[in-house]
Amino acid sequence: MLELDFTKSHIIISPNIEAEFEQLKNALKPKRVVGFIEDEFKIEHAKAAVAEAYISESETKYIILGANHFNAISQNSLLKALEEPPRNIEFIIIAPTTSNLLPTVRSRLPIVKKKGERKMQEFPFSLVKVGYKDVFDFLKMASKVGKSEAQELMEALYHRATVVDKLLLSSAQLENFDKAYRLLELNARPQSVFALLLMGFVNGN
């Protein structure tokens, strides 16, 4: 595996947002670093970061986005800039857990995990060939979980699909994960959210 070039755009998963930001500022000197470090990263922060990215630069400029929580609207507004950044612009995102970030954001940048992130639980079955019985048994269990556990399970499902089972997710499947993330944020029933996600894998096999 090639070592990540920390001078290129990437995502850092770390519980110490401000400490990571300070380390990056020092490591990237004398390059210009602009930080947007918040408790909750909102749409106004995303707009300011994108506007900063489109200020013309003759040398590399780093835009660092760090927060304990990134809402879905702000993340969606960053997607175009992350996928096609302006000339000489590198983005670095710092979040406490991968589940804080939408799958469409994670799919655009390499991820570095620092010590301190909680251990991810394992998703109970393979997504390479999903059967209806697997789905129904899981949904029965999901009817009893709360919001926090449901978010962890969704992260485990995404990890199982992309890392363990090495599936190349379709645009529809990625959109389903983003939709599921937003629904859980709005306190939707976990059982309904997982039905949306898992049936996308059944239909794809």
Side-chain angles (χ1 to χ4, degrees), residues 38-83:
E38 309 291 339
D39 181 46
E40 180 178 1
F41 196 86
K42 300 178 180 178
I43 183 64
E44 55 263 34
H45 305 130
K47 287 180 177 179
V50 171
E52 181 67 40
Y54 282 96
I55 297 174
S56 179
E57 298 290 338
S58 59
E59 294 187 359
T60 302
K61 177 171 69 177
Y62 294 89
I63 298 178
I64 301 178
L65 316 176
N68 290 311
H69 179 72
F70 289 79
N71 70 38
I73 296 173
S74 67
Q75 292 183 69
N76 280 322
S77 69
L78 293 169
L79 290 177
K80 185 175 187 298
L82 293 176
E83 188 167 20

Side-chain angles (χ1 to χ4, degrees), residues 86-149:
R87 183 173 175 268
N88 292 329
I89 297 297
E90 301 289 346
F91 283 98
I92 300 175
I93 298 175
I94 312 171
T97 66
T98 46
S99 59
N100 281 66
L101 302 172
L102 295 173
T104 43
V105 171
R106 283 178 268 164
S107 68
R108 282 163 170 76
L109 300 175
I111 297 175
V112 177
K113 294 187 179 182
K114 300 292 185 74
K115 292 180 180 179
E117 190 193 20
R118 69 178 185 273
K119 186 178 180 180
M120 185 185 301
Q121 62 176 293
E122 293 183 8
F123 196 73
F125 56 85
S126 172
L127 298 167
V128 175
K129 190 172 183 180
V130 183
Y132 286 106
K133 185 178 187 304
D134 293 323
V135 173
F136 294 146
D137 287 347
F138 182 83
L139 293 179
K140 186 176 180 180
M141 180 277 294
S143 67
K144 301 173 184 177
V145 304
K147 177 179 177 180
S148 178
E149 187 178 353

Side-chain angles (χ1 to χ4, degrees), residues 123-193:
F123 196 73
F125 56 85
S126 172
L127 298 167
V128 175
K129 190 172 183 180
V130 183
Y132 286 106
K133 185 178 187 304
D134 293 323
V135 173
F136 294 146
D137 287 347
F138 182 83
L139 293 179
K140 186 176 180 180
M141 180 277 294
S143 67
K144 301 173 184 177
V145 304
K147 177 179 177 180
S148 178
E149 187 178 353
Q151 290 173 324
E152 291 181 10
L153 280 169
M154 186 175 74
E155 177 60 25
L157 193 161
Y158 183 80
H159 183 266
R160 176 80 200 218
T162 58
V163 177
V164 180
D165 293 340
K166 295 181 170 55
L167 297 177
L168 182 61
L169 300 186
S170 66
S171 58
Q173 287 170 324
L174 282 171
E175 287 171 8
N176 280 345
F177 272 104
D178 285 356
K179 187 183 296 182
Y181 178 100
R182 293 193 293 270
L183 288 171
L184 287 179
E185 284 290 299
L186 295 170
N187 298 311
R189 290 174 63 238
Q191 191 176 36
S192 301
V193 173

